[in-house]
Amino acid sequence: MPIRLSERWPEVSSDRLLSECVPPPRFSDVRFETYRPGPGEPSQADALGVLRERGEILAEPRRERSLWSRLRGSAPVAPEKPGIYLDGGFGVGKTHLLASLWHVSAGPKMYCTFVELTNLVGALGMRPAVEALSAYRLICIDEFELDDPGDTVLISRLLGQLVAAGVQLAATSNTLPDRLGEGRFQAIDFLREIQGLAAHFDVRRIDGPDYRHRGLPVAPEPWPDALVEKAADERPDASCDHFVDLHHHLAELHPSKYGALLDGVGTVGILDLRELTDENVALRLVVLADRMYDRDIPLITSGVPLDRMFSPEMLKGGYRKKYLRALSRLIALANAVTDH
């Protein structure tokens, strides 16, 4: 009997939210040595070099160096800016580099997405969050987003206090491929919104095609309903939900619980996938897609093809970058399933 996500009601404590602030399983084994800059993409090799240099510094235990060691130059020289920001399009390896930096760094350290960080601050409260996170030497923030001014102001306040406490920061963001300057406005917006923090960040642009779609079709053909249900019955720990039931259930859960919703799930099956026209429903599906991608959970769907899940109007709107990221990830998860 397949799992019904729409019948699960997970509870997630703030302690769990904090303890889960590590790279997702699909990035647990990545290292700088496994990153392969694309041929003809010098910005990727440049970003790798910059992150390696920071990793050498952060690999050392946090301590005050003696005058003699500084004169001898026996340890790497600290960067001028405490923050590094990787700006680029989809699937160019920014998360790979960010997770690699986390892996080589000495603790205490933290890794989360922007959404997970806002959820954490909401769960803990601003003052307790500052107190807890000030103890970290490095905080890595994947997928920094600027489409919610309230969240941006909240995190800007938090990061300002963390930088003042001596915390090193590393962040990434996806950008819109058709924006002027190939998405450079995303980095500019980031710097403008955090104002006082602007001088603390070294912004690096990473160019290149989306590696997840090299040689792959835009989207796989949807499965018939009966085959989705059959596969969910046969696969261990598979879930199977009607799309309407699933998105109604997501509306009743805080997004911070979407990861726990997937606990123990090995494959996600969705029946009767439909084109979305409601932004609220679409944004919840984006968060679920991120949590599925973090856990590398294969996806089987019937209904409309995945590349038609978001309406043309949505793909032209203010949340376009989120929807494109979700499509890129969902298609990769769906292409991981080959037997039907």
Side-chain angles (χ1 to χ4, degrees), residues 207-238:
D207 298 299
D210 186 338
Y211 81 92
R212 288 184 292 266
H213 290 173
R214 292 172 191 167
L216 295 176
V218 173
E221 287 295 319
W223 293 30
D225 286 352
L227 284 184
V228 174
E229 293 176 321
K230 182 174 182 291
D233 280 332
E234 295 175 347
R235 289 170 177 254
D237 303 322

Side-chain angles (χ1 to χ4, degrees), residues 1-2 4 223-236 238-240 267 269-271 300 302 339-340:
M1 184 71 180
R4 303 294 182 190
W223 293 30
D225 286 352
L227 284 184
V228 174
E229 293 176 321
K230 182 174 182 291
D233 280 332
E234 295 175 347
R235 289 170 177 254
S239 71
C240 187
T267 303
I270 301 177
L271 298 168
I300 305 171
S302 66
D339 55 329
H340 82 285

Side-chain angles (χ1 to χ4, degrees), residues 10-39:
E11 292 297 329
V12 183
S13 68
S14 57
D15 287 342
R16 173 171 173 172
L17 291 175
L18 199 56
S19 68
E20 291 180 341
C21 289
V22 298
R26 67 180 301 115
F27 292 103
S28 61
D29 296 325
V30 301
R31 297 295 186 272
F32 289 131
E33 292 76 15
T34 61
Y35 182 77
R36 300 288 183 264

Side-chain angles (χ1 to χ4, degrees), residues 291-319:
R291 301 293 78 79
M292 289 174 56
Y293 186 75
D294 288 346
R295 291 156 176 78
D296 203 15
I297 301 175
L299 173 65
I300 305 171
T301 64
S302 66
V304 302
L306 285 165
D307 54 7
R308 284 174 44 199
M309 185 171 73
F310 300 108
S311 70
E313 292 74 22
M314 285 184 172
L315 293 178
K316 297 176 183 177
Y319 295 112

Side-chain angles (χ1 to χ4, degrees), residues 176-220:
L176 298 175
D178 62 351
R179 293 281 295 273
L180 182 62
E182 292 189 329
R184 291 183 187 274
F185 281 126
Q186 186 69 13
I188 292 171
D189 287 346
F190 173 74
L191 297 177
R192 185 182 65 242
E193 292 292 335
I194 62 175
Q195 298 179 1
L197 286 178
H200 297 299
F201 283 86
D202 177 8
V203 179
R204 298 286 170 150
R205 171 72 182 178
I206 305 180
D207 298 299
D210 186 338
Y211 81 92
R212 288 184 292 266
H213 290 173
R214 292 172 191 167
L216 295 176
V218 173

Side-chain angles (χ1 to χ4, degrees), residues 5 23 26 36 42 53 55 61 69-70 76 86 112 142 152 156 187 198-199 213 231 238 254 256 268 282 311 325:
L5 298 181
R26 67 180 301 115
R36 300 288 183 264
E53 291 178 1
S69 66
R70 292 196 298 270
L86 302 179
C112 61
D142 200 16
T152 302
S156 296
H213 290 173
H254 190 275
S256 65
V268 168
S311 70
R325 183 186 73 221

Side-chain angles (χ1 to χ4, degrees), residues 13-185:
S13 68
S14 57
D15 287 342
R16 173 171 173 172
L17 291 175
L18 199 56
S19 68
E20 291 180 341
C21 289
V22 298
R26 67 180 301 115
F27 292 103
S28 61
D29 296 325
V30 301
R31 297 295 186 272
F32 289 131
E33 292 76 15
T34 61
Y35 182 77
R36 300 288 183 264
E41 299 293 347
S43 63
Q44 294 183 12
D46 177 66
L48 175 60
V50 170
L51 269 292
R52 276 185 181 274
E53 291 178 1
R54 287 185 178 259
E56 291 176 3
I57 297 166
L58 289 166
E60 293 189 341
R62 182 163 52 184
R63 62 179 182 269
E64 290 296 327
R65 295 176 60 207
S66 67
L67 175 61
W68 174 242
S69 66
R70 292 196 298 270
L71 291 174
R72 289 179 58 199
S74 57
V77 178
E80 294 182 2
K81 299 180 180 181
I84 180 76
Y85 177 80
L86 302 179
D87 168 48
F90 303 95
V92 295
K94 300 186 305 298
T95 299
H96 185 135
L97 290 172
L98 188 69
S100 297
L101 178 65
W102 187 91
H103 283 302
V104 302
S105 300
K109 55 190 177 180
M110 172 180 171
Y111 184 105
C112 61
T113 65
F114 181 85
V115 171
E116 288 169 334
L117 187 57
T118 58
N119 290 337
L120 181 63
V121 176
L124 297 179
M126 176 60 76
R127 181 174 294 180
V130 171
E131 292 176 356
L133 303 186
S134 292
Y136 288 94
R137 186 181 187 194
L138 170 68
I139 295 179
C140 295
I141 308 169
D142 200 16
E143 300 162 9
F144 204 102
E145 300 173 347
L146 295 177
D147 41 50
D148 187 320
D151 283 347
T152 302
V153 171
L154 177 74
I155 298 304
S156 296
R157 284 182 54 206
L158 175 71
L159 298 187
Q161 295 181 65
L162 295 180
V163 166
V167 179
Q168 294 279 314
L169 303 173
T172 72
S173 178
N174 288 324
T175 56
L176 298 175
D178 62 351
R179 293 281 295 273
L180 182 62
E182 292 189 329
R184 291 183 187 274
F185 281 126

